[in-house]
Amino acid sequence: MAEDSSKLHIAMFPWLAFGHMIPYLELAKLIAQKGHTISFISTPRNIDRLPKLPPSLSSSIHLVKLPLPQVENLPENAEATIDVPYEKVPYLKKALDGLEDPMAKFLETSSPDWLLFDFLPYWLPPLAHNLRIPTAMFSIFIAACVAQIKPTDIQDDREKPEDFTRPPKWIPFPTTIAFRLFEITKIFDAITGQGDTHPSDLYRAEKSLQLCDAIVVRSCWELETDFLNLLTELHNKPVIPTGQLPPVVVAYNNEDDDHDEATWKPIKKWLDKQETGTVVYVAFGSEANPNQEEVREIALGLELSGLPFFWVLRSSSTIELPLPDGFEDRTKGRGVVWKTWAPQVKILAHESVGGFLSHGGWSSVVEAITFQRPLILLTFLADQGWNARFLEERKMGYVIPRNDNDGSFSQDSVAESLRLVVLEEAGQVYRENVKKMKGVFGDPELQDRYVDQLLNFLVTNKNILLSPKPIGN
């Protein structure tokens, strides 16, 4: 392997959030299938919680455990964002920064051909360059989101939350992609560093983009030609899309091959009884926690809609929020409230599902569109607001109307939005547009070509730092 110059050893270092680690792992598997070696780096507890690797790839993907340094105010055994409330995530970032020396030692002893890293450890490119290792910032956010980050030679005049409710001045074409006021208010301190969270997320992302040799983005030309071209112009370095990294569904109707048969069997039995295209699947990911009022309005909206629903109601906190009195009795048979892990890909693949009420995290978006399920969007954190605007612009998702200042919404707006997208004539555009995009999101051959193009770039440019003018300078 080492003597074959076309075979790569790629180190990957995602942010300590499963919404980041899983897309990194999906890309790692696609690369390993083509004969390359991956060192997938995270903390011990995170590595232990990752999905099991296929036996055929276990010798090609090396799971590297770097113990997370202890940081004051970070709970014991907290190694991922799912382990802490939102207000403690800054301490997780501080702990991440404490991995600089262990990362240096790993890179020095393993000498990978490339390092693919997430946007937060901005200190990694200089460290890798000292060891003559080229770096690519791999963004699990789409290109439209990365374009919100300031390029090196442009002054950013955004100071107040209101400034982030408009697209930044360096995007030259018309777009509505910006935060709504309630979305940016919730994360303003983390993004700008105006609380005690220095260095800010924007600073980290700006430095990562400035110092890396190439930008790798979870995107595709068929969806984001304009933003991918813009990133190349703004940062004056190669921008390589990975494709959408859709889920691989293996025998989702075949319980014999299914490790979670006991979980899937009763869910499938219930879904099989429902009419095609009528069920609303409701799930907000592992970290978007609706508050008590939001849970109430979602529940009553589901009830008011009259549609069958399957609601995965899990919380990353230890507090379980009560449902409205009598709700489960009144909706018994028509609706299911599921309070543990559920196989989302298999549920979305089931023909009874007619719409997905989602937080707008991009992995969930990819899964929905892969199976042609239109989206009804209720955002909570991070890039979800940008994603919602993007999907709204392209009429692939419908955003539940909310109060712009506090994000509140009503049971009526939930019910009306669900019926619009799943049943009504006015919602046909959303149903049709996700069908049109199935070939972009769910085509294995297209995805394979994107991985080939990425690998071709990495192989061709693995000695990038040895050239007189390294890319990115």
Side-chain angles (χ1 to χ4, degrees):
M1 177 82 65
E3 296 173 1
D4 185 346
S5 62
S6 70
K7 295 302 179 189
L8 297 170
H9 172 204
I10 300 169
M12 289 187 171
F13 186 51
W15 164 230
L16 307 174
F18 282 90
H20 290 242
M21 288 182 266
I22 298 302
Y24 266 72
L25 190 62
E26 287 304 311
L27 182 60
K29 289 191 282 189
L30 292 168
I31 290 173
Q33 283 172 0
K34 295 180 179 288
H36 304 275
T37 302
I38 302 288
S39 290
F40 189 97
I41 308 160
S42 193
T43 65
R45 192 159 174 246
N46 288 340
I47 293 287
D48 290 343
R49 289 182 287 179
L50 289 172
K52 287 183 180 173
L53 292 171
S56 60
L57 298 180
S58 57
S59 62
S60 301
I61 301 177
H62 304 138
L63 301 173
V64 179
K65 297 180 177 181
L66 297 184
L68 193 67
Q70 287 190 322
V71 169
E72 191 178 1
N73 296 318
L74 188 66
E76 192 177 354
N77 294 322
E79 298 185 10
T81 52
I82 196 173
D83 301 326
V84 294
Y86 178 74
E87 61 272 13
K88 290 197 179 284
V89 171
Y91 304 114
L92 196 61
K93 292 171 188 169
K94 188 175 180 182
L96 176 84
D97 293 340
L99 288 173
E100 184 170 354
D101 285 344
M103 278 296 294
K105 289 188 179 70
F106 171 80
L107 293 173
E108 192 170 4
T109 55
S110 63
S111 300
D113 297 302
W114 275 91
L115 169 63
L116 269 58
F117 71 104
D118 221 325
F119 76 100
L120 287 166
Y122 63 98
W123 36 265
L124 261 176
L127 184 157
H129 287 178
N130 286 340
L131 299 168
R132 314 303 288 170
I133 299 166
T135 63
M137 192 194 93
F138 171 30
S139 169
I140 61 108
F141 306 125
I142 59 174
C145 297
V146 182
Q148 308 287 323
I149 299 162
K150 182 185 81 68
T152 307
D153 56 351
I154 294 177
Q155 184 67 32
D156 192 350
D157 50 12
R158 297 176 294 180
E159 295 177 353
K160 308 183 298 296
E162 289 79 6
D163 298 334
F164 289 83
T165 63
R166 300 178 292 275
K169 61 186 179 183
W170 51 82
I171 296 181
F173 44 79
T175 182
T176 60
I177 298 173
F179 286 121
R180 292 181 64 185
L181 187 58
F182 70 88
E183 292 168 336
I184 182 59
T185 301
K186 193 180 289 188
I187 60 173
F188 185 67
D189 285 354
I191 279 194
T192 61
Q194 296 207 6
D196 57 352
T197 59
H198 291 283
S200 71
D201 287 0
L202 279 180
Y203 176 84
R204 290 171 180 273
E206 288 162 15
K207 296 303 288 184
S208 292
L209 286 167
Q210 176 190 346
L211 298 171
C212 67
D213 298 298
I215 302 165
V216 175
V217 190
R218 186 185 190 179
S219 184
C220 57
W221 292 105
E222 293 80 0
L223 188 69
E224 289 196 280
T225 306
D226 47 1
F227 281 107
L228 287 166
N229 283 327
L230 177 62
L231 287 182
T232 306
E233 294 167 20
L234 291 175
H235 299 285
N236 193 31
K237 59 185 68 177
V239 175
I240 307 101
T242 64
Q244 295 296 340
L245 307 175
V248 178
V249 185
V250 181
Y252 67 83
N253 277 325
N254 186 348
E255 285 84 13
D256 293 336
D257 295 337
D258 201 333
H259 73 280
D260 52 22
E261 176 187 350
T263 304
W264 173 231
K265 210 167 187 177
I267 297 173
K268 182 180 183 298
K269 185 177 180 181
W270 184 84
L271 290 170
D272 286 345
K273 294 176 182 174
Q274 311 307 315
E275 289 183 36
T276 299
T278 61
V279 174
V280 177
Y281 173 58
V282 187
F284 302 115
S286 55
E287 295 173 41
N289 293 322
N291 62 33
Q292 179 63 75
E293 182 61 25
E294 289 166 340
V295 166
R296 180 181 182 277
E297 295 304 310
I298 292 165
L300 295 176
L302 287 166
E303 182 178 351
L304 196 58
S305 75
L307 293 164
F309 63 86
F310 190 96
W311 184 3
V312 180
L313 182 58
R314 297 171 68 207
S315 173
S316 59
S317 73
T318 54
I319 303 166
E320 186 177 312
L321 300 177
L323 292 160
D325 287 345
F327 167 74
E328 288 183 271
D329 289 334
R330 293 192 302 272
T331 58
K332 193 172 183 179
R334 175 163 71 83
V336 174
V337 179
W338 193 267
K339 295 186 178 179
T340 59
W341 177 86
Q344 177 160 295
V345 170
K346 296 181 180 183
I347 293 169
L348 287 169
H350 197 282
E351 63 178 12
S352 69
V353 176
F356 182 10
L357 175 51
S358 167
H359 58 310
W362 199 253
S363 289
S364 288
V365 169
V366 171
E367 290 168 1
I369 298 175
T370 296
F371 299 110
Q372 306 172 65
R373 310 302 178 213
L375 289 140
I376 307 98
L377 297 160
L378 197 61
T379 62
F380 291 93
L381 280 175
D383 60 319
Q384 294 161 16
W386 286 336
N387 293 341
R389 302 302 94 71
F390 181 88
L391 294 163
E392 205 172 20
E393 268 190 1
R394 287 153 177 77
K395 291 281 190 285
M396 292 158 61
Y398 181 82
V399 178
I400 291 177
R402 299 171 79 166
N403 180 293
D404 203 47
N405 292 316
D406 63 12
S408 60
F409 55 91
S410 70
Q411 57 192 270
D412 290 326
S413 64
V414 172
E416 288 162 10
S417 301
L418 295 176
R419 292 187 63 81
L420 171 77
V421 173
V422 176
L423 292 181
E424 293 173 7
E425 185 65 32
Q428 183 70 17
V429 62
Y430 302 100
R431 301 191 291 272
E432 288 300 322
N433 283 344
V434 294
K435 285 178 183 174
K436 289 176 187 172
M437 294 307 294
K438 175 182 167 57
V440 172
F441 281 73
D443 181 355
E445 291 183 9
L446 180 64
Q447 178 61 67
D448 196 54
R449 288 199 294 276
Y450 273 107
V451 175
D452 283 342
Q453 289 165 14
L454 170 63
L455 287 169
N456 182 57
F457 172 83
L458 297 177
V459 168
T460 304
N461 294 284
K462 68 178 183 178
N463 296 320
I464 209 171
L465 290 170
L466 305 179
S467 60
K469 293 180 70 178
I471 291 174
N473 283 15

